[in-house]
Short mmCIF file of all heavy atoms in Angstrom, two decimals:
data_model
loop_
_atom_site.label_atom_id
_atom_site.label_comp_id
_atom_site.label_asym_id
_atom_site.label_seq_id
_atom_site.Cartn_x
_atom_site.Cartn_y
_atom_site.Cartn_z
N GLY H 1298 0.72 -82.25 50.77
CA GLY H 1298 0.96 -81.44 49.59
C GLY H 1298 0.39 -80.05 49.67
O GLY H 1298 -0.47 -79.73 50.47
N GLU H 1299 0.92 -79.20 48.82
CA GLU H 1299 0.59 -77.78 48.79
C GLU H 1299 -0.83 -77.53 48.31
O GLU H 1299 -1.39 -76.49 48.49
CB GLU H 1299 1.56 -77.02 47.87
CG GLU H 1299 3.00 -77.07 48.35
CD GLU H 1299 3.14 -76.48 49.75
OE1 GLU H 1299 2.68 -75.38 49.97
OE2 GLU H 1299 3.73 -77.18 50.62
N ASP H 1300 -1.40 -78.53 47.64
CA ASP H 1300 -2.75 -78.32 47.07
C ASP H 1300 -3.83 -78.60 48.11
O ASP H 1300 -4.97 -78.80 47.79
CB ASP H 1300 -2.93 -79.21 45.85
CG ASP H 1300 -2.50 -80.63 46.10
OD1 ASP H 1300 -2.12 -80.92 47.25
OD2 ASP H 1300 -2.52 -81.43 45.17
N HIS H 1301 -3.43 -78.63 49.38
CA HIS H 1301 -4.38 -78.75 50.46
C HIS H 1301 -5.36 -79.89 50.30
O HIS H 1301 -6.56 -79.73 50.38
CB HIS H 1301 -5.15 -77.44 50.64
CG HIS H 1301 -4.27 -76.34 51.13
ND1 HIS H 1301 -3.31 -76.55 52.09
CD2 HIS H 1301 -4.17 -75.04 50.77
CE1 HIS H 1301 -2.68 -75.40 52.33
NE2 HIS H 1301 -3.18 -74.48 51.53
N GLY H 1302 -4.80 -81.03 50.07
CA GLY H 1302 -5.62 -82.24 50.17
C GLY H 1302 -6.38 -82.60 48.92
O GLY H 1302 -7.08 -83.60 48.90
N LYS H 1303 -6.25 -81.83 47.85
CA LYS H 1303 -7.01 -82.20 46.65
C LYS H 1303 -6.19 -83.11 45.75
O LYS H 1303 -6.69 -83.65 44.78
CB LYS H 1303 -7.43 -80.94 45.87
CG LYS H 1303 -8.39 -80.12 46.67
CD LYS H 1303 -9.02 -79.05 45.79
CE LYS H 1303 -9.85 -78.09 46.61
NZ LYS H 1303 -9.03 -77.27 47.50
N GLY H 1304 -4.93 -83.25 46.05
CA GLY H 1304 -4.08 -84.05 45.17
C GLY H 1304 -3.48 -85.23 45.86
O GLY H 1304 -4.12 -86.23 46.13
N GLY H 1305 -2.23 -85.11 46.20
CA GLY H 1305 -1.43 -86.24 46.60
C GLY H 1305 -1.81 -86.92 47.88
O GLY H 1305 -2.35 -86.32 48.80
N CYS H 1306 -1.53 -88.15 47.92
CA CYS H 1306 -1.72 -88.96 49.09
C CYS H 1306 -0.38 -89.65 49.29
O CYS H 1306 0.04 -90.43 48.45
CB CYS H 1306 -2.79 -89.98 48.84
SG CYS H 1306 -3.97 -90.13 50.14
N GLY H 1307 0.30 -89.37 50.38
CA GLY H 1307 1.65 -89.85 50.52
C GLY H 1307 1.81 -91.35 50.71
O GLY H 1307 2.50 -92.02 49.94
N ASN H 1308 1.14 -91.89 51.69
CA ASN H 1308 1.58 -93.18 52.18
C ASN H 1308 0.46 -94.17 52.46
O ASN H 1308 0.36 -94.76 53.49
CB ASN H 1308 2.37 -92.96 53.49
CG ASN H 1308 1.57 -92.15 54.47
OD1 ASN H 1308 0.48 -91.68 54.13
ND2 ASN H 1308 2.07 -92.01 55.66
N HIS H 1309 -0.44 -94.29 51.54
CA HIS H 1309 -1.49 -95.31 51.75
C HIS H 1309 -1.96 -95.80 50.41
O HIS H 1309 -1.53 -95.32 49.37
CB HIS H 1309 -2.63 -94.71 52.55
CG HIS H 1309 -3.34 -93.64 51.80
ND1 HIS H 1309 -4.36 -93.90 50.94
CD2 HIS H 1309 -3.11 -92.32 51.73
CE1 HIS H 1309 -4.76 -92.78 50.42
NE2 HIS H 1309 -4.00 -91.80 50.86
#
Side-chain angles (χ1 to χ4, degrees):
E1299 297 302 309
D1300 47 4
H1301 292 319
K1303 295 192 187 67
C1306 226
N1308 54 353
H1309 65 88

